[in-house]
Amino acid sequence: MYSGGYTGKVLRVDLTHQTFSEEELPAETARDFIGGAGFTIKYLFDEVPADCDPLGPLNKLIYACGPFTGTRIPCASRMAVNAKSPLTGAVGVAMTGGHFPVELKRAGYDVLIVEGVAEKPTYLWIKNGQVHFRSAKDLWGLATSDCQQVIKDELKDQNIRVSCIGPAGEKLARLACIVNERRVAGRRGLGAVMGSKNLKAIALRGDQQMAIADQEVFKAARKRMLDAMKNSPVLYSEFAHVGTSGNVDNCTALGIFPAKNWTATGAYDYPEKIGMDAVATRGVGRTACAECPVACSQMRLAQTAPYTGIMTEGPEYETLYSFGGVTGVDNPDAIIAADRAADEFGLDSMSTGVTIAFAMELFERGILTTDDTDGLDLRFGNHEAMVKLVGMMGEREGLGDLLADGVKLAAEKIGKGSEKYALHVKGLELPAYDVRGAKAHGLGYATSYTGADHNKGYAIQEIFGLPFPYPVDRFAVEGKGALTMWNQDARTAVGDCPTMCIFMLDTSVAPFLFENTADLMRGTTGLDLSPDDVQCVGERVNNLAKVFNTLAGLTRADDDLPERVKTEPIPEGPAKGQRLTQADLDQMLDEYYEARGWTPDGVPTRAKLEELRLGVAADKLGLV
Amino acid sequence: MYSGGYTGKVLRVDLTHQTFSEEELPAETARDFIGGAGFTIKYLFDEVPADCDPLGPLNKLIYACGPFTGTRIPCASRMAVNAKSPLTGAVGVAMTGGHFPVELKRAGYDVLIVEGVAEKPTYLWIKNGQVHFRSAKDLWGLATSDCQQVIKDELKDQNIRVSCIGPAGEKLARLACIVNERRVAGRRGLGAVMGSKNLKAIALRGDQQMAIADQEVFKAARKRMLDAMKNSPVLYSEFAHVGTSGNVDNCTALGIFPAKNWTATGAYDYPEKIGMDAVATRGVGRTACAECPVACSQMRLAQTAPYTGIMTEGPEYETLYSFGGVTGVDNPDAIIAADRAADEFGLDSMSTGVTIAFAMELFERGILTTDDTDGLDLRFGNHEAMVKLVGMMGEREGLGDLLADGVKLAAEKIGKGSEKYALHVKGLELPAYDVRGAKAHGLGYATSYTGADHNKGYAIQEIFGLPFPYPVDRFAVEGKGALTMWNQDARTAVGDCPTMCIFMLDTSVAPFLFENTADLMRGTTGLDLSPDDVQCVGERVNNLAKVFNTLAGLTRADDDLPERVKTEPIPEGPAKGQRLTQADLDQMLDEYYEARGWTPDGVPTRAKLEELRLGVAADKLGLV
């Protein structure tokens, strides 16, 4: 049935009953959703009640690779992990790379669905068709790198790949992520979902090779892609050497690198302290996901006390923001230490930093005092307090317990007007682009089905001047609705589903984005999708996710931005004075919903859903 | 030539010229020295000038397995690492277990000799006869677990085994050890020797199988050994579950668990806080060296802030002393954290703790003040200061720079009478047995060719009442000379040479100690050694090591004990009032030298050396 690319198999594991079964991947699922994020959203929609408790037994943890994962297509070693998010209550999909995704394919599966709750701490050991339910009693409490090594030692196989949680996930911190190697499926609290199932880790080993449906088509498409990568203006010349750290410099130049909980965007000169050149001096080599010729992951080593000797993979741009700019910390070694600590405790580094910045603003304003902070002097810029707080959040100790669920819940508990300083959309903390100076980014944060997410519809046109599908003015409000839809659908269809690395796509194959995926699909799987079909998969996935979120209770009111963003202008720098008011947002939302063919309230229509072969979603919504 | 056990090959690597060569292992070396420590001492004696600078280019780093390493003999996955010690100026041999030793044999070598100095940071990648000199530029500064993982990633082979140094070794700390997996070749600054050669790591992979000379003899001997192990009173019933932590309880009961830099032995009730039951509650599984059915290595996880989530392999008894009793720290989680930090920075956990205890006593006495300690309140028992100081020593920061070379050198630099509180023999910090209440242990510390070493001639008769070769009174001075010689020769011959785990030997095959090794030798290698021959190997190795030390300038005056031990009685507890005076030591030394057939000055005679086929050593000493 599947001549290539897909294994055609879905592994379903029931933790409650300690059973497992294999199912066939339906052909129409492959055709309509391609893989990765698309598969996980399809299964989430079909199987998880949208109104369920994300940390309850009805939620499911769904892993999915795409048809490109594990082939020799460069930059395709990625997978999606999904569940209803305990942080946002919405679709929680996260992408991760490294080596685990390929191992999942080699073990024989396109999709892995974990359901139920184990009675005791458990880990899964999956090898070529066999699933073993093993006690994680001795793994409980372990940091993520220790956990991975101990499992390899215990199973006497160093080639095993492991996806696991740290203490944060075990303790149901809503900022907890899932870690494989030094990479994470982050942001939306999937680590807490794993923890709620008493599942510490999934260990994999397989030796199945990916079949290729049409070698000639495959080779030609792959070669065109590799050639385009060679011509990328940044892939080998910049990303390979400094990762994404150059964006500190770039976004500072654009005046949109957010500082001190977004009170000081544009006011500080961070590049000198924590920008590309500053962190490059800490570089100690790099590493790559499977089959990636770029190897953008930089290893960096702290060089000053008390952080000397701490290494991390990163920090990437977002972490330089979250443990740097937004907290006012300008010590690159502290950022390295905090990044490593977040990885080891299994905390999302972005949300963790933004949450600490939130606490810092409350401290500066006297809403939190040293009585609340276990004595920590939480002023902006106190790097030692920041690093210590990461560990406290990872273990839910003291103030860390309050903060471990993110700014939204923390603000609800603290009260005293603290909500005003909680920077999030749908509960997800804001990424590193001050959207007041990049409006489509703002609309993206507001409308992404995952909350404030820079990766679901990244407006690369605004940040890097990319002229596809057309050039835009980043300060403009008009025209951002259709653009954001295009960005969201494109990134979903060519990145998160097949699965492919966005860095590579943005910087090299942008001129033939959908064609590239269509050709690789034909070569890999034999499925004959047109470029338009590919783009349509993106639209389908975004619609289905939106329906899930609507069923979960989210409305237009949730497609929002934080009060500060809507009421205060950027105070300094190149984007000084830029605003993104409620009226701006409303205008963009109207445009966006219209472009999507949704109602003015932001609900997909039956016509649109049926056009996308999603009639069942319309039924579930009760649409006439 | 070698029908089994041995690979018969010595790999010589020249870092200066980046060349390597293979040599045959001489048959008489195998016969006279068996392997392991014996081999390394033979090569050290033959090739390294005894008067050379240990951190200079003439020193060599010598790894050696034994004929049992890599066979199916249980508990034989060990190797010796040797060089002239920068801490003691004497023979620096250290034993380590884990998996690296077996991989060295599988890669094809009994012995690995590393000589010269690399121009730039380098690591060796050795695979089945090929040696690659690779840049360690990106590994320099990395913690030991990171270093091991990064090498596996870089060489794209997770099955590689790595022996490496941490920042401490790079910075030539004389307390630096060499780490493989979570195990160390510790105590005598071998990490600094490796660092002085600009050698960060040795990575190995091999697939050669060990041949067995006589399967029937081998199987019978192996079975007898396994049966004896089953009958051990402690191996499976205690060590498998709590490692060596029970010795805190045992030695406290004997009144010889040293506390607060040996000022308070017997005065504190440590078992309740950091003894067997206390650390057992932190247990998170265990791990084993290759082919070990016992798996005594306990993994333990810290459970209280600020250490929550830190895991270590250990702490073993000695570490419960060094980061516990001797520093006055009674927080088991701090001990776990300090142990892990020592492993990661590549510091010997024993000497590091004793050196911190030394600094604590100086602080209590006002010889060091907060001006000297970078503000640390270094009173006995301050666990946070202790853990912080481990990192400072590992990176040679602040006070850590002064302490990183151990108590002897630190006392010389500090002056002000601090020598009195520096507890060491020949520069090596004292282990965890207060020898005032276990006199043979005292003689062992004084006479071991490696400095104050509890492993070279452990008087198990005194601590566990073992009646082999005969029962003794631990408080008595008389009769300890011959006993110590027997202990030293036995442990060397049956443990450090073949190579075999001392824990197993002491607790199970003691009644047929030499016979066991002789039979296994015959089965494994075909070499026909009598039990007496085996014992004689121990005597030969101890004599050759003593000649090296004599040539290095050490005399009877160096076979000494610290002033405190000789002048102050044990103040409290079951061994209260016990002394080990200069007169006691002299009496034991006289007895010991006589038993050894050495001169009253402690120099081997030509007659003794020739009897041991060590005439060449007599020549080198200029003996007539």
Side-chain angles (χ1 to χ4, degrees), chain A residues 137-143 145-146 149-150 152-153 156-159 161 167 171 182 283-288 299 301 303-312 340 344-345 384 388 395 397, chain B residues 137-143 145-146 149-150 152-153 156-159 161 167 171 182 283-288 299 301 303-312 340 344-345 384 388 395 397:
Chain A
K137 176 172 165 285
D138 288 336
L139 301 173
W140 215 247
L142 261 57
S145 68
D146 284 340
Q149 186 59 56
V150 168
K152 292 176 185 184
D153 293 346
K156 297 190 195 307
D157 185 346
Q158 298 294 315
N159 290 305
R161 297 292 179 175
K171 295 179 179 181
R182 299 183 199 89
V284 285
R286 57 204 180 112
T287 181
M299 318 290 273
L301 183 65
Q303 292 179 351
T304 57
Y307 309 115
T308 327
I310 298 175
M311 188 194 80
T312 196
R340 177 64 179 264
E344 294 291 0
F345 288 105
E384 292 200 61
K388 194 160 186 190
E395 296 286 354
E397 289 168 345
Chain B
K137 176 171 165 285
D138 288 336
L139 301 172
W140 215 248
L142 260 58
S145 68
D146 285 338
Q149 186 59 55
V150 168
K152 292 176 185 183
D153 293 345
K156 298 190 195 306
D157 184 347
Q158 298 293 315
N159 290 305
R161 297 292 180 175
K171 295 178 179 181
R182 298 183 201 89
V284 286
R286 56 204 180 111
T287 181
M299 318 291 273
L301 182 66
Q303 293 178 350
T304 58
Y307 310 114
T308 327
I310 299 175
M311 188 196 81
T312 196
R340 177 65 180 264
E344 293 292 358
F345 288 105
E384 291 200 61
K388 194 159 186 190
E395 296 286 354
E397 290 168 345

Side-chain angles (χ1 to χ4, degrees), chain B residues 8-146:
Chain B
K9 280 198 260 181
V10 176
L11 176 64
R12 187 179 295 277
V13 176
D14 180 339
L15 289 169
T16 307
H17 304 98
Q18 310 253 308
T19 57
F20 66 96
S21 59
E22 288 184 2
E23 299 166 14
E24 198 171 284
L25 178 73
E28 58 273 22
T29 299
R31 179 198 63 196
D32 286 354
F33 295 92
I34 293 182
F39 283 180
T40 68
I41 288 169
K42 165 71 173 154
Y43 279 97
L44 185 79
F45 180 84
D46 286 349
E47 303 191 6
V48 173
D51 60 353
C52 77
D53 172 7
L55 299 179
L58 296 181
N59 204 359
K60 299 187 181 185
L61 191 64
I62 307 167
Y63 286 64
C65 302
F68 298 178
T69 321
T71 69
R72 296 207 55 224
I73 297 173
C75 312
S77 174
R78 296 184 68 75
M79 68 178 178
V81 188
N82 202 355
K84 182 179 176 183
S85 163
L87 193 63
T88 64
V91 171
V93 74
M95 304 299 297
T96 181
H99 293 268
F100 184 94
V102 171
E103 206 65 33
L104 177 55
K105 284 289 280 289
R106 286 196 185 134
Y109 304 105
D110 297 312
V111 182
L112 164 63
I113 302 173
V114 182
E115 45 193 55
V117 178
E119 198 175 341
K120 293 179 180 169
T122 297
Y123 78 94
L124 299 177
W125 166 215
I126 301 172
K127 186 172 180 182
N128 286 340
Q130 283 302 307
V131 179
H132 306 274
F133 298 83
R134 293 181 62 94
S135 169
K137 176 171 165 285
D138 288 336
L139 301 172
W140 215 248
L142 260 58
T144 58
S145 68
D146 285 338

Side-chain angles (χ1 to χ4, degrees), chain B residues 74-289:
Chain B
C75 312
S77 174
R78 296 184 68 75
M79 68 178 178
V81 188
N82 202 355
K84 182 179 176 183
S85 163
L87 193 63
T88 64
V91 171
V93 74
M95 304 299 297
T96 181
H99 293 268
F100 184 94
V102 171
E103 206 65 33
L104 177 55
K105 284 289 280 289
R106 286 196 185 134
Y109 304 105
D110 297 312
V111 182
L112 164 63
I113 302 173
V114 182
E115 45 193 55
V117 178
E119 198 175 341
K120 293 179 180 169
T122 297
Y123 78 94
L124 299 177
W125 166 215
I126 301 172
K127 186 172 180 182
N128 286 340
Q130 283 302 307
V131 179
H132 306 274
F133 298 83
R134 293 181 62 94
S135 169
K137 176 171 165 285
D138 288 336
L139 301 172
W140 215 248
L142 260 58
T144 58
S145 68
D146 285 338
C147 175
Q148 295 179 66
Q149 186 59 55
V150 168
I151 288 176
K152 292 176 185 183
D153 293 345
E154 180 175 314
L155 298 176
K156 298 190 195 306
D157 184 347
Q158 298 293 315
N159 290 305
I160 285 168
R161 297 292 180 175
V162 178
S163 170
C164 70
I165 56 174
E170 299 168 13
K171 295 178 179 181
L172 309 184
R174 284 165 205 256
L175 299 190
C177 59
I178 298 175
V179 178
N180 59 288
E181 300 116 59
R182 298 183 201 89
R183 303 202 148 251
V184 309
R187 304 249 54 207
R188 277 159 290 276
L190 295 174
V193 176
M194 202 157 164
S196 74
K197 297 186 174 305
N198 268 324
L199 182 64
K200 176 70 176 177
I202 300 171
L204 287 177
R205 184 77 198 277
D207 55 17
Q208 301 187 32
Q209 294 297 311
M210 293 306 104
I212 297 300
D214 186 328
Q215 282 286 359
E216 277 194 37
V217 172
F218 176 79
K219 280 182 186 166
R222 179 169 173 273
K223 181 175 186 311
R224 182 179 55 176
M225 193 178 147
L226 285 165
D227 289 343
M229 289 171 67
K230 276 183 207 146
N231 295 324
S232 160
V234 290
L235 220 45
Y236 293 103
S237 57
E238 181 176 328
F239 284 7
H241 303 292
V242 295
T244 53
S245 62
N247 223 8
V248 173
D249 306 56
N250 181 46
C251 287
T252 300
L254 295 174
I256 58 169
F257 184 63
K260 296 190 176 177
N261 208 37
W262 294 49
T263 62
T265 301
Y268 290 84
D269 188 22
Y270 285 97
E272 191 188 327
K273 297 285 186 60
I274 62 170
M276 183 169 73
D277 293 341
V279 296
T281 64
R282 270 92 178 156
V284 286
R286 56 204 180 111
T287 181
C289 298

Side-chain angles (χ1 to χ4, degrees), chain A residues 290-306:
Chain A
E291 282 294 337
C292 175
V294 180
C296 74
S297 288
Q298 310 297 311
M299 318 290 273
R300 293 187 178 109
L301 183 65
Q303 292 179 351
T304 57

Side-chain angles (χ1 to χ4, degrees), chain B residues 405-424:
Chain B
D405 291 323
V407 296
K408 187 181 171 202
L409 271 177
E412 284 175 14
K413 287 181 186 166
I414 294 167
K416 303 180 188 172
S418 62
E419 294 79 359
K420 191 174 165 186
Y421 314 110
L423 302 182
H424 69 89

